[in-house]
């Protein structure tokens, strides 16, 4: 515990900071080359709009908490579960976060030019991905993100991370339904055949 706890504490702050920088850098690079945003919020007040803003608020809170924890002991404010705050659990959470990060990057690379964050309102010629990881699940990227949220809870077992996990799962499952509605409207019978053949999750 003497080694694992400070390692995971520093890991979390650096990990979420790098995640934010990577996402921002990727989005700006794509915008610079493609001349349109790959991040879509949806119409103001719509369900996807709320999902995006709720997710952003929690992402900012997680980043802030994890960075502050490197320099100050705020665990008393987070409601840490002492019975779970043990080195095997913390190490498992760190490993799950790293695994989730690798899978998310793999899936985004697999999607290549078809990757979007949110529902793309443009009338483009994007195709429906039904092969590779999308032949086993309609939402593998969302599952990888949920796995990362579970990893965060294990790496910092607390009331705070539990609230983040529950809120994250609710937002992601609701967003998955919204995105599937948009895909059904866009691809029609092609998407219906895919929906019948492949499960939403596993």
């Amino acid at each position: 515990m003497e080694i694992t706890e400070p390692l995971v504490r520093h890991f979390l702050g650096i990990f979420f900071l790098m995640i934010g920088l990577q996402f921002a850098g990727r989005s700006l690079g794509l915008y610079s080359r493609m001349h349109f945003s790959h991040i879509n919020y949806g119409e103001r007040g719509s369900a996807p709009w709320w999902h995006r803003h709720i997710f952003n608020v929690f992402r900012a809170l997680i980043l802030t908490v994890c960075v502050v924890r490197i320099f100050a002991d705020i665990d008393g404010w987070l409601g840490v579960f002492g019975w779970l705050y043990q080195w095997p659990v913390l190490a498992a959470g760190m490993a799950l976060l790293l695994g989730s990060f690798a899978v998310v990057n793999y899936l985004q690379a697999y999607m290549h030019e078809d990757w979007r964050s949110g529902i793309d309102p443009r009338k483009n010629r994007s195709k429906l991905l039904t092969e590779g990881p999308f032949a086993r699940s309609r939402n593998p990227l969302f599952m990888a993100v949920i796995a990362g949220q579970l990893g965060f809870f294990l790496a910092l077992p607390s009331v705070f991370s539990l609230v983040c996990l529950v809120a994250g799962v609710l937002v992601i499952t609701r967003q998955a339904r919204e995105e599937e509605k948009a895909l059904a409207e866009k691809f029609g019978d092609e998407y219906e055949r895919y929906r019948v053949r492949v499960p939403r999750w596993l």
Side-chain angles (χ1 to χ4, degrees), residues 6-38:
L7 172 64
V8 175
R9 182 183 293 263
H10 284 76
F11 165 83
L12 287 175
I14 296 170
F15 178 82
F16 284 108
L17 180 60
M18 296 305 294
I19 288 287
L21 291 173
Q22 183 202 35
F23 188 77
R26 177 185 176 89
S27 302
L28 290 172
L30 285 169
Y31 182 82
S32 179
R33 183 180 179 194
M34 309 298 291
H35 307 294
F36 68 89
S37 177
H38 284 59

Side-chain angles (χ1 to χ4, degrees), residues 80-86 89:
V80 170
F81 300 131
W83 56 279
L84 268 180
Y85 202 78
Q86 308 295 329
V89 178

Side-chain angles (χ1 to χ4, degrees), residues 101-146:
F101 176 74
V103 173
V104 166
N105 276 279
Y106 169 81
L107 291 168
Q108 289 181 346
Y110 186 91
M111 296 172 78
H112 194 41
E113 71 270 11
D114 294 311
W115 175 77
R116 300 288 186 276
S117 180
I119 301 170
D120 190 349
R122 299 177 313 115
K123 303 296 182 181
N124 55 22
R125 297 183 178 180
S126 62
K127 62 181 179 180
L128 180 65
L129 293 176
T130 61
E131 301 175 347
F134 294 90
R136 294 180 287 275
S137 170
R138 301 201 303 269
N139 296 285
L141 190 57
F142 281 158
M143 285 201 304
V145 174
I146 290 174

